[in-house]
Amino acid sequence: MQIIRDLALLEQALADLRADGGTIAFVPTMGALHPGHLALVAEARRRASHVVASIFVNPTQFGENEDLSTYPRRENADAALLEQEGCAILWAPEADVMYPDGFETPVAAGPLGAELDGAARPGHFDGVATVVARLFDQVRPDFAVFGEKDYQQLAIIRALAQRLGLGIEIVGVPTQRDADGHALSSRHAYLSEDERRDARALPRALGEAAQAIQLGQPVDETLARARARLEAAGFDPVDYVELRDAETLAPLSTLDRPARLLAAARMGRTRLIDNLPVLPA
Ligand code: PAF
């Protein structure tokens, strides 16, 4: 696996990969890889002849009081994992390569970027849209693979890819969970043992609420019960527990189409998100 930090070298390496007429699947990450990321790489390998991954801790998607400076960074260990999983290229640019002096073309996430996580993290999805557009332009893959754990991000990137018209197919991969049901996340490293135990309430409350809604119980009451359960477990604040259209993420108060149950809440200093599919009978 080649580790590349320079754009000209990236272009040459990509041209070499494409020389045999094969396809490229791309897995963008911010590093601190866990088995959830490796499932994205495995899916990328199934889709295409070659896999390119990136590691870039993108400053423009972190708010002022967020964890940019403490975000876990372990590139050597990440590179070893990516090589083991069969990646051909690790694209690991420095910030001045991603955003050269005078860079002035931010990309807007659109109206969905201001809702749900976007309401709690203003500007976050514009930062994501900007870096993903830059990465797509640099790598020009046939496929790009993202986790369903960041479901709103996935919806925003699907819309972005369509808008950019680069012909990149966006592939979503189901959330990987640990034995306690936690959706795997690099931010779990911040939880204490007690917080980790208490945070099991999140996947449990979502699982119960998804089941209740599928069984026909009223949506609003079920969401309020799930919220109360999270608060009782020590989540503070609970930013949202909502049922949304699985594709457009429009709010739903009845289950009349494929839906997604989404929640975000803070445990201590760690903000956790999770979501589950909810399908009408
Ligand atoms: O999901 C992530 O790790 C990041 O938001 C992404 C898509 C790599 C953009 O920085």
Side-chain angles (χ1 to χ4, degrees):
M1 182 182 76
Q2 296 183 70
I3 302 178
I4 302 180
R5 301 176 201 285
D6 174 281
L7 254 181
L9 293 178
L10 177 69
E11 272 162 29
Q12 184 53 57
L14 290 169
D16 292 346
L17 286 188
R18 289 200 182 95
D20 64 4
T23 50
I24 292 179
F26 177 44
V27 182
T29 81
M30 296 206 302
L33 303 183
H34 52 63
H37 294 107
L38 303 185
L40 306 185
V41 176
E43 181 58 30
R45 278 182 49 204
R46 278 192 285 277
R47 295 269 170 165
S49 339
H50 308 288
V51 178
V52 175
S54 66
I55 296 180
F56 179 66
V57 182
N58 173 36
T60 67
Q61 70 188 77
F62 287 78
E64 256 173 43
N65 300 316
E66 294 187 349
D67 53 345
L68 174 62
S69 60
T70 54
Y71 197 84
R73 285 165 173 84
R74 33 175 194 260
E75 192 190 290
N76 291 345
D78 289 345
L81 286 172
L82 291 169
E83 180 153 33
Q84 246 170 47
E85 296 298 313
C87 276
I89 296 176
L90 168 57
W91 171 228
E94 296 294 339
D96 61 346
V97 171
M98 189 60 76
Y99 301 122
D101 265 357
F103 171 78
E104 269 177 18
T105 43
V107 175
L112 187 50
E115 297 181 33
L116 299 170
D117 280 328
R121 306 180 68 189
H124 166 68
F125 286 117
D126 291 335
V128 171
T130 300
V131 79
V132 169
R134 290 282 291 154
L135 288 163
F136 282 180
D137 190 43
Q138 292 160 348
V139 178
R140 300 270 170 157
D142 301 282
F143 304 91
V145 186
F146 297 86
E148 287 185 350
K149 191 214 140 221
D150 296 295
Y151 198 81
Q152 185 179 6
Q153 168 174 282
L154 178 60
I156 286 170
I157 290 171
R158 280 192 202 285
L160 173 75
Q162 215 162 15
R163 235 165 56 218
L164 293 174
L166 296 172
I168 300 170
E169 184 178 331
I170 306 300
V171 179
V173 173
T175 304
Q176 306 292 303
R177 295 184 182 276
D178 67 13
D180 286 330
H182 293 296
L184 298 186
S185 162
S186 309
R187 289 196 163 97
H188 276 168
Y190 304 144
L191 292 172
S192 69
E193 220 166 284
D194 285 353
E195 287 170 344
R196 219 184 149 75
R197 184 200 57 224
D198 296 343
R200 288 184 302 200
L202 178 57
R204 288 180 183 173
L206 280 185
E208 284 172 18
Q211 204 179 12
I213 292 169
Q214 269 170 187
L215 288 172
Q217 296 199 16
V219 170
D220 289 347
E221 280 169 33
T222 307
L223 298 180
R225 250 198 331 271
R227 172 180 279 273
R229 179 153 179 210
L230 294 178
E231 285 164 352
F235 280 100
D236 182 22
V238 176
D239 286 338
Y240 60 82
V241 183
E242 293 205 24
L243 188 71
R244 298 267 176 146
D245 181 296
E247 213 171 293
T248 63
L249 290 192
L252 293 181
S253 50
T254 50
L255 182 63
D256 54 5
R257 65 194 94 160
R260 206 83 190 182
L261 182 60
L262 302 111
R266 188 172 289 275
M267 176 60 73
R269 65 191 178 101
T270 311
R271 187 171 181 277
L272 298 176
I273 59 173
D274 203 348
N275 68 83
L276 284 177
V278 190
L279 297 174

